[in-house]
Amino acid sequence: MKTSTLRSNRALRILLPTVFWLAVWQIAATVVGQELLIPTPVAVLKRFCELVVTSDFWVAAGMSLLRIFVGAFLGGLLGILLAALTSRFSLIDMIISPALRVIRAIPVASFIILVLLWVRKGAVPAVISGLMVMPVMWESVSVGIKSVNHELLEMANCYEMSSLSKIRRIYLPSVKPNLIGGIRNCVGLAWKSGVAAEVLCLPKNAVGSQVYYSKIYLETPSLFAWTITVVLLSLILEKLIFLILRDKKAGDSLEN
């Protein structure tokens, strides 16, 4: 009974806002009365259904996901490595930390234009995703490393525990919550910055390129449909990461 009530409340929390904003959208489209400015939800849904059955749609979505995933993965690994180095060596921290904070503060559009001068346009979304993810992951992991219990480290030194054992038994359990939080924060950031890069650099077979072309050719239903695609893919990615991390956490708890 309780489970059924929780499911009903969850469904209501999803359904009610959806219906409300669709109604607002429909009213706005009716008041404006021009599909060029605001198409109706039905027109956008029709266009979305037309797109989703084409091979071009899936190729564009797949290539965008691949570019952005590769960039985010490499950027995340580099962020973790830099966190370990800056936490271990004060000189490296003094040199690298200000640069990472500057990278995080610079607007994404500025980075996209700069990177477009240095690399081929097909690689720009991956580079931008990596650059946006790197300082976020660095900061999250650095906080986790600094929170390590120093008494445990002293005890490990007394028992002459190896560096590998210290990392596995002391550092990893301490850093893990921050690492998971960093990954969750980076997924949406990488996707949004990567699509923004595609809109500006226009690589072949990309969701962002389709958004741009729809706007240039005044195909407003297509523009809305591709924008909805961006949102849906972002939600799917975040849900997948959440499920993977939750299952991993549950597995670790069972092992312990």
Side-chain angles (χ1 to χ4, degrees):
M1 183 70 178
K2 186 176 180 180
T3 303
S4 178
T5 303
L6 288 173
R7 288 178 179 175
S8 299
N9 291 336
R10 187 180 302 172
L12 184 63
R13 288 174 65 87
I14 296 173
L15 185 61
L16 185 60
T18 302
V19 172
F20 174 80
W21 289 111
L22 283 175
V24 171
W25 180 1
Q26 178 63 50
I27 292 170
T30 303
V31 171
V32 173
Q34 294 187 28
E35 188 176 88
L36 183 62
L37 297 177
I38 304 180
T40 63
V42 173
V44 174
L45 178 61
K46 179 182 177 182
R47 182 55 183 153
F48 179 80
C49 292
E50 291 172 352
L51 289 172
V52 82
V53 296
T54 64
S55 59
D56 290 342
F57 176 90
W58 294 106
V59 170
M63 290 301 296
S64 291
L65 288 170
L66 178 62
R67 292 187 189 100
I68 294 169
F69 173 79
V70 170
F73 180 74
L74 295 177
L77 286 181
L78 185 56
I80 294 171
L81 176 61
L82 290 175
L85 291 174
T86 54
S87 298
R88 178 66 178 83
F89 303 104
S90 58
L91 180 59
I92 295 179
D93 181 49
M94 188 185 304
I95 295 171
I96 299 297
S97 296
L100 292 172
R101 293 188 178 94
V102 168
I103 290 173
R104 190 167 184 176
I106 293 177
V108 179
S110 300
F111 259 129
I112 295 170
I113 294 171
L114 287 173
V115 172
L116 190 56
L117 297 174
W118 302 329
V119 302
R120 59 185 180 84
K121 64 181 182 180
V124 173
V127 174
I128 293 299
S129 297
L131 279 173
M132 295 300 103
V133 163
M134 181 176 61
V136 176
M137 191 62 71
W138 164 77
E139 185 173 10
S140 296
V141 175
S142 294
V143 171
I145 293 175
K146 291 175 182 177
S147 67
V148 171
N149 191 323
H150 291 284
E151 293 180 358
L152 288 177
L153 291 175
E154 291 177 2
M155 185 176 68
N157 291 330
C158 290
Y159 285 96
E160 298 182 351
M161 186 179 290
S162 66
S163 298
L164 186 61
S165 295
K166 289 179 186 177
I167 292 173
R168 187 168 61 90
R169 296 180 180 276
I170 299 176
Y171 281 100
L172 286 181
S174 179
V175 171
K176 187 176 178 180
N178 299 81
L179 179 62
I180 291 175
I183 292 172
R184 287 177 176 173
N185 290 333
C186 287
V187 171
L189 177 62
W191 178 247
K192 287 184 287 188
S193 59
V195 173
E198 290 179 345
V199 172
L200 289 180
C201 69
L202 303 178
K204 186 179 180 181
N205 298 323
V207 173
S209 300
Q210 296 299 327
V211 171
Y212 178 82
Y213 292 137
S214 298
K215 177 244 184 185
I216 288 296
Y217 297 124
L218 301 178
E219 297 175 354
T220 311
S222 294
L223 175 60
F224 275 65
W226 281 108
T227 302
I228 289 173
T229 301
V230 172
V231 174
L232 289 176
L233 288 175
S234 178
L235 293 174
I236 291 170
L237 280 174
E238 292 179 2
K239 186 66 174 178
L240 284 174
I241 293 297
F242 173 78
L243 291 174
I244 291 169
L245 294 177
R246 186 181 67 177
D247 290 345
K248 182 68 170 64
K249 186 175 181 180
D252 292 342
S253 299
L254 289 174
E255 289 179 2
N256 295 332

